[in-house]
Amino acid sequence: MCRHRTYSHGNLTLMLPLAISTSSREVFPTEQRTLSACTNGVHALGGTQECRPVDRDFVTWRGHLTKILCTPYETQEGWLLAVTLFKGTFYISEQETVAACKKRKERTPEQEKLMYSGYKFENYICADSLESGPDKCAVVNTNEAFCSVLLARLSSHSLLIAGEVDCIDPSPKSPLPPSCYIELKTSAQIRNPHQQRSFNRYKLLKWWSQSFLLGIPVIVAGFRSPEAKVVSIERFRTSDIPHLIRGCLSLCLGAWF
């Protein structure tokens, strides 16, 4: 875990022509993200009870709920969740499926580079402070993250949801968290209507789910060329995405019936 970073608006034009490479990459052992990371934060704030360690019906990571939320529209990736009931609270964690394990072990160097490029993109447009500016040569540790913990309700059920936050809006007039948070994403450049439909159905839907669950209002996306250069940047308001993808989702649901 680490402290949040600041979205650096003024450096976007400097970043655009630069290829995302692995020149400053260092391999760090992959860490398993457990539920203790989010419950420890609650304990540190004194939000516990003797008879119930966490006073919520469900405790989980935002990513697990994203998978559930996208299930009616997702036909490519399965998921497996483990649920533990402890002192009145359901703790939901993810278990790797056989298919996901096979896919992870068979990743090509090019696929690894694309996965890494998303983290590098964050380095290009984020800074520790407005005064310092982005450090584009910094080594990227893919295990570092600033996580936000949200207390929410779904009908009569109470939830504790934790999720990674990429950066914040540095404007003096920006609202309090989570409304000042910004989600950063990368994706392949869209060149034809088929790619646009695929982007809407899979990428944009998932981006909306992730941001909606944590209350993040804005998504900034960098679109890369086949040469791994970011050629354009687009800003999406989370609340606008359902209107953008409504047609694609209607076609998808129609295929189920």
Side-chain angles (χ1 to χ4, degrees):
M1 302 297 175
C2 64
R3 65 190 181 89
H4 62 69
R5 294 183 295 175
T6 298
Y7 177 56
S8 185
H9 304 263
N11 288 274
L12 295 182
T13 53
L14 298 178
M15 178 273 301
L16 289 179
L18 301 178
I20 296 175
S21 70
T22 56
S23 58
S24 59
R25 180 183 184 185
E26 182 174 331
V27 178
F28 291 85
T30 301
E31 297 177 1
Q32 183 66 35
R33 188 168 292 179
T34 64
L35 290 174
S36 61
C38 55
T39 56
N40 287 344
V42 177
H43 295 165
L45 296 174
T48 62
Q49 297 182 1
E50 291 183 4
C51 60
R52 196 179 191 190
V54 179
D55 191 24
R56 296 276 115 179
D57 297 328
F58 296 89
V59 174
T60 191
W61 284 101
R62 178 262 306 266
H64 306 341
L65 292 183
T66 298
K67 292 179 183 295
I68 296 174
L69 193 57
C70 293
T71 294
Y73 314 102
E74 176 60 68
T75 59
Q76 297 181 338
E77 296 182 2
W79 49 263
L80 178 63
L81 300 178
V83 183
T84 302
L85 175 61
F86 179 69
K87 293 188 176 181
T89 299
F90 291 95
Y91 295 85
I92 305 174
S93 58
E94 185 176 14
Q95 303 294 307
E96 188 176 45
T97 64
V98 174
C101 179
K102 183 175 183 293
K103 185 177 180 180
R104 173 174 55 81
K105 291 180 178 179
E106 294 177 352
R107 284 177 193 153
T108 65
E110 186 61 29
Q111 289 172 326
E112 292 279 358
K113 182 179 178 180
L114 287 177
M115 290 179 61
Y116 168 79
S117 69
Y119 294 98
K120 192 60 182 175
F121 175 71
E122 295 175 17
N123 261 28
Y124 271 64
I125 61 173
C126 289
D128 290 336
S129 68
L130 286 178
E131 293 75 22
S132 64
D135 183 359
K136 296 188 283 289
C137 296
V139 173
V140 176
N141 184 343
T142 57
N143 286 320
E144 288 183 343
F146 172 81
C147 289
S148 177
V149 178
L150 177 72
L151 302 181
R153 298 198 68 86
L154 178 62
S155 186
S156 61
H157 306 294
S158 58
L159 298 88
L160 186 151
I161 308 169
E164 180 181 347
V165 174
D166 295 325
C167 60
I168 64 168
D169 182 349
S171 170
K173 296 182 180 179
S174 64
L176 295 174
S179 297
C180 64
Y181 293 152
I182 296 175
E183 185 83 10
L184 301 177
K185 296 292 186 183
T186 59
S187 186
Q189 185 181 12
I190 299 172
R191 298 184 172 186
N192 56 59
H194 173 74
Q195 290 176 343
Q196 183 67 62
R197 288 191 296 271
S198 179
F199 171 76
N200 288 354
R201 176 174 173 178
Y202 296 109
K203 282 282 184 75
L204 205 52
L205 171 63
K206 187 175 181 180
W207 293 359
W208 171 82
S209 301
Q210 292 171 328
S211 298
F212 171 78
L213 287 169
L214 277 191
I216 300 175
V218 173
I219 302 167
V220 174
F223 291 90
R224 62 179 183 272
S225 69
E227 296 75 32
K229 291 185 178 181
V230 174
V231 294
S232 65
I233 287 182
E234 190 168 349
R235 186 183 181 99
F236 298 92
R237 291 203 61 83
T238 304
S239 59
D240 292 340
I241 291 178
H243 303 288
L244 297 175
I245 64 177
R246 182 173 295 166
C248 293
L249 297 187
S250 297
L251 290 174
C252 175
L253 286 178
W256 285 78
F257 300 99

